[in-house]
Amino acid sequence: MTVIVDGMGGDHAPIEILKGCAAAVEELGIDVIVTGPEDLLKKTMEENQIPEKGITLRHAEQVITMEDEAGCVLKAKRNSSMGLAMDLLKNGEGDAMVSAGNSGAVLAGGTLIVKRIPNVKRAAFAPILPNKTGYFMLVDSGANEVCTPEYLDQFGALGALYMKHAGFAAEPRVGLLNNGTEDCKGPELHQQAHALLRDNPAVNFVGNVEGRQIFDGVCDVLVADGFSGNILLKSVEGTASYMTKIMKESLTSNWFSTLLAALLKPQLKKMKAKLDYTEVGGAVLLGISKPIIKAHGSSNAKAFKNAIRQAAAFAESGAVETMTQLLSAPKAEPAGK
Amino acid sequence: MTVIVDGMGGDHAPIEILKGCAAAVEELGIDVIVTGPEDLLKKTMEENQIPEKGITLRHAEQVITMEDEAGCVLKAKRNSSMGLAMDLLKNGEGDAMVSAGNSGAVLAGGTLIVKRIPNVKRAAFAPILPNKTGYFMLVDSGANEVCTPEYLDQFGALGALYMKHAGFAAEPRVGLLNNGTEDCKGPELHQQAHALLRDNPAVNFVGNVEGRQIFDGVCDVLVADGFSGNILLKSVEGTASYMTKIMKESLTSNWFSTLLAALLKPQLKKMKAKLDYTEVGGAVLLGISKPIIKAHGSSNAKAFKNAIRQAAAFAESGAVETMTQLLSAPKAEPAGK
């Protein structure tokens, strides 16, 4: 199993990436190809005594920044760490790919270099988040800010297949993010998507899900249009960060509570781990013909290791093959649709 | 100052409402009119030794439930605790109104019985939430699931006037909830609303705001379409409740940590208070010609007292008068717009 890693994506490139790759080799037995400026990668490995074992470097001169336009990965910056990683994946030199770089470029490269599974309407970002009973997938978290009911229907079917193959649920329950739980809720887009999901034989649809229920374990796949999904994901991040700050302030407001809080460190650490969604890896780029994982921009070595593990498991699971099969099956629908 | 309170709205009606009213009379010197089935209200007051001082009961036979259609407040259930409260407010028998009942009915009654301020396009629900530096208003949190750029522009102007009159900010900063901070971000609705808000002389516009920034104190008014605003508000609630649960579990996972957590109770209480948005009151029904506050359905006596205080302050502030003035002023725009 070989995972290709964009060596220059994210806030802590390349050092945390290389450390994460070395950990993946050492702890998980996964081979890694890292793309990027070879001199810089080599130097970073030497200076930080990162073992070379299992890591192959592939030279790419350019780097895609967060400010770059998404499309640059296709032409102007094709010879970048991300562009090369996409080409290697497309050409079968590795089984899966991880990047923590520019999301728009990951989406553009995935869609137009690696390409979608036939009949997939749109690729979507699908992070996996913890909840009270385990984990759920949010799809789409921001790839498509304008959606059609058909996109949402497909997000549900593909998300369910991923969650099943990844071992999260035998028969994943699919919910639709909406502004109320009643069937008739939401704008037209959501009402139509609700009807399609309900009638889709490939989807175990459990109906509309409100924002306040998302952590209750009511579904394994939460379908959202990319705009609302993005608002949801980021407001969860914002709220968690705000609460953590308030908790820290409250617990260290005097010497006595600071002392008590120090004694509670193991419990607080356990709590943090339960909220840490990089434990699972990154966001799946759902609908692409090869496994691509988008790691969080702020990923550290451990998050990269987990994203590499997730990418390898994605490739091993055969999920892409099952998705391809599902979408190539003739549907009981009027011809020409 | 007299505040009219829907005596039968919310999960804990009428007992928590009546307790909250008595506290408002006692602690804040506000007179209260409570609507609802008089026998039930009287009996509840007697059984719970709630003092009658400053509380006037007004009989209404019917009760609007959460399952009722919004429109029932206008005709079929006009003689309900909420319908009567709206009529009393319209007729000037009180200065402001509070209800914790069916949101749709509050919106319908506010819009069609009490009526909007002239030239207000749509009324909006606008809760006030805590952040790292104080408070901000979210408008709209769910009254209008489909919006036009003009609605969003007006939400910004009216929200700013409220926050100024309520003393939260001298020159309120208005932000637009979007899926990125760059000016060009979002679907067409958001791009057009961005341009209108930027060019609106009545708005101190600070640009797009992402979900992860909402608690950072980057704006005093956060404008949102009602669908995204609803997703945001409910996901904040869901995340806060999930984190509180995890924290409790982590802190009570063994006898030693349970003991330490008990000693930290004052700090944990302080933390809870910082997150408790009922401290400020409820959501403003923004754009209506008289002050209406929608209290949270789960409001307890303290939350009702705070909502009554907020309603009275809203009436005293003259905010509705300033909003009316702003919207009646001729605009430097092509005639007929």
Side-chain angles (χ1 to χ4, degrees):
Chain A
M1 182 63 53
T2 302
V3 174
I4 304 157
V5 180
D6 169 3
M8 298 303 290
D11 308 338
H12 309 297
I15 178 164
E16 292 294 317
I17 300 177
L18 290 163
K19 284 183 179 171
C21 291
V25 172
E26 176 68 23
E27 299 169 31
L28 311 172
I30 297 170
D31 286 330
V32 181
I33 298 173
V34 183
T35 58
E38 202 164 355
D39 288 352
L40 174 64
L41 297 179
K42 266 196 178 148
K43 198 176 141 221
T44 306
M45 289 180 78
E46 279 165 19
E47 285 179 1
N48 296 279
Q49 297 162 343
I50 297 169
E52 288 173 27
K53 189 190 137 198
I55 298 181
T56 307
L57 303 182
R58 291 291 294 264
H59 180 68
E61 194 59 42
Q62 296 169 302
V63 173
I64 294 178
T65 69
M66 296 311 279
E67 287 70 39
D68 276 325
E69 256 194 284
C72 73
V73 68
L74 305 173
K75 284 194 169 171
K77 289 201 171 177
R78 182 69 169 248
N79 185 29
S80 58
S81 60
M82 193 195 293
L84 177 60
M86 294 279 179
D87 276 322
L88 295 176
L89 180 66
K90 178 190 165 195
N91 298 333
E93 298 198 37
D95 304 290
M97 183 195 141
V98 170
S99 175
N102 185 317
S103 298
V106 171
L107 177 63
T111 303
L112 298 166
I113 298 174
V114 185
K115 300 233 158 61
R116 282 178 294 214
I117 293 169
N119 297 321
V120 161
K121 292 173 197 299
R122 287 290 185 283
F125 283 121
I128 292 167
L129 305 172
N131 64 21
K132 284 176 191 168
T133 56
Y135 290 91
F136 72 100
M137 171 178 263
L138 170 66
V139 50
D140 175 21
S141 77
N144 307 281
E145 59 188 27
V146 177
C147 288
T148 69
E150 289 75 23
Y151 298 178
L152 299 187
D153 183 35
Q154 231 180 36
F155 293 165
L158 298 181
L161 277 183
Y162 181 91
M163 291 304 273
K164 185 176 177 172
H165 278 77
F168 285 103
E171 202 184 347
R173 296 156 304 157
V174 176
L176 176 65
L177 180 65
N178 210 330
N179 61 350
T181 52
E182 303 91 328
D183 286 357
C184 60
K185 275 283 180 175
E188 216 180 316
L189 168 67
H190 294 78
Q191 291 184 28
Q192 290 179 6
H194 187 283
L196 290 178
L197 285 161
R198 186 194 55 210
D199 297 340
N200 188 336
V203 168
N204 173 21
F205 188 51
V206 295
N208 292 330
V209 172
E210 282 192 308
R212 67 166 68 101
Q213 301 175 291
I214 52 173
F215 293 109
D216 292 346
V218 294
C219 63
D220 305 297
V221 177
L222 181 60
V223 173
D225 65 276
F227 189 78
S228 318
N230 193 266
I231 300 289
L232 177 84
L233 182 66
K234 288 177 180 165
S235 67
V236 167
E237 282 182 34
T239 310
S241 134
Y242 175 59
M243 284 190 68
T244 307
K245 184 175 177 281
I246 286 185
M247 194 176 78
K248 271 188 192 155
E249 278 175 10
S250 302
L251 291 183
T252 55
S253 58
N254 62 48
W255 69 266
F256 183 60
S257 66
T258 307
L259 176 71
L260 293 179
L263 293 170
L264 280 170
K265 220 171 173 183
Q267 273 71 34
L268 296 174
K269 217 172 154 183
K270 209 159 78 181
M271 175 184 157
K272 215 177 148 194
K274 270 197 190 165
L275 293 165
D276 182 9
Y277 61 90
T278 64
E279 286 285 333
V280 188
V284 175
L285 185 56
L286 203 65
I288 300 299
S289 57
K290 306 240 177 177
I292 299 180
I293 299 296
K294 166 70 179 75
H296 201 283
S298 66
S299 292
N300 59 14
K302 194 176 141 207
F304 275 106
K305 183 191 76 183
N306 291 333
I308 293 167
R309 174 184 16 223
Q310 184 189 13
F314 188 4
E316 263 171 3
S317 74
V320 166
E321 289 72 18
T322 317
M323 290 175 196
T324 310
Q325 225 171 345
L326 174 78
L327 294 175
S328 68
K331 272 192 183 178
E333 277 180 342
K337 187 179 168 177
Chain B
M1 182 62 54
T2 302
V3 174
I4 304 156
V5 179
D6 169 3
M8 298 303 289
D11 308 338
H12 309 297
I15 178 163
E16 292 295 317
I17 300 178
L18 290 163
K19 284 183 180 171
C21 291
V25 172
E26 176 69 23
E27 299 168 32
L28 312 171
I30 297 170
D31 287 330
V32 181
I33 298 172
V34 183
T35 59
E38 202 164 355
D39 288 351
L40 174 64
L41 297 179
K42 266 196 178 148
K43 197 177 141 217
T44 306
M45 290 180 77
E46 280 166 20
E47 283 179 3
N48 296 278
Q49 295 162 343
I50 298 169
E52 289 172 26
K53 191 191 136 197
I55 298 181
T56 307
L57 302 183
R58 291 292 293 264
H59 179 69
E61 194 58 44
Q62 295 169 302
V63 173
I64 294 179
T65 69
M66 297 310 281
E67 287 70 39
D68 275 325
E69 255 194 286
C72 73
V73 69
L74 304 173
K75 285 195 169 169
K77 289 201 172 177
R78 182 68 170 249
N79 185 31
S80 58
S81 60
M82 193 195 293
L84 176 61
M86 295 279 180
D87 276 322
L88 295 176
L89 180 66
K90 177 190 166 194
N91 298 334
E93 298 197 38
D95 305 290
M97 183 195 141
V98 170
S99 175
N102 184 316
S103 298
V106 172
L107 177 63
T111 303
L112 298 166
I113 299 174
V114 185
K115 299 232 159 62
R116 283 178 294 216
I117 294 169
N119 297 321
V120 162
K121 292 173 198 299
R122 288 291 185 282
F125 284 121
I128 293 166
L129 306 171
N131 64 21
K132 285 177 190 167
T133 56
Y135 290 91
F136 72 100
M137 171 177 262
L138 170 65
V139 50
D140 175 21
S141 76
N144 308 280
E145 60 188 26
V146 177
C147 287
T148 69
E150 289 75 22
Y151 298 178
L152 299 186
D153 183 35
Q154 232 181 33
F155 294 164
L158 298 180
L161 277 182
Y162 181 91
M163 292 304 274
K164 185 176 177 173
H165 278 76
F168 285 103
E171 201 185 347
R173 296 156 303 157
V174 176
L176 176 65
L177 180 66
N178 210 329
N179 61 350
T181 53
E182 303 91 329
D183 286 358
C184 60
K185 275 283 181 176
E188 215 180 317
L189 168 67
H190 294 78
Q191 290 184 28
Q192 291 180 5
H194 187 283
L196 290 178
L197 285 161
R198 186 193 57 210
D199 297 341
N200 188 338
V203 168
N204 173 21
F205 188 52
V206 295
N208 292 330
V209 171
E210 283 192 306
R212 67 165 69 100
Q213 302 176 291
I214 53 173
F215 293 108
D216 292 346
V218 294
C219 64
D220 305 297
V221 177
L222 181 60
V223 173
D225 65 276
F227 189 78
S228 317
N230 193 265
I231 300 289
L232 178 84
L233 182 66
K234 289 178 180 164
S235 67
V236 167
E237 282 183 33
T239 310
S241 134
Y242 175 59
M243 285 189 69
T244 306
K245 184 175 177 283
I246 285 185
M247 194 175 79
K248 270 189 192 157
E249 277 176 9
S250 303
L251 290 183
T252 55
S253 58
N254 62 48
W255 70 265
F256 182 60
S257 67
T258 307
L259 176 72
L260 294 179
L263 293 170
L264 280 169
K265 221 172 173 182
Q267 273 69 35
L268 296 174
K269 219 172 154 183
K270 210 160 75 182
M271 175 184 158
K272 215 178 147 194
K274 270 197 189 163
L275 292 165
D276 182 10
Y277 61 90
T278 64
E279 285 285 332
V280 188
V284 175
L285 185 57
L286 203 67
I288 300 299
S289 58
K290 306 239 177 177
I292 299 179
I293 299 296
K294 166 70 179 76
H296 201 283
S298 66
S299 292
N300 59 13
K302 196 177 140 205
F304 275 107
K305 184 191 75 182
N306 291 333
I308 293 167
R309 175 183 16 223
Q310 183 189 14
F314 188 4
E316 262 170 2
S317 73
V320 166
E321 290 71 19
T322 318
M323 289 177 196
T324 310
Q325 227 171 344
L326 174 78
L327 294 175
S328 68
K331 273 191 182 178
E333 278 179 341
K337 186 182 167 176

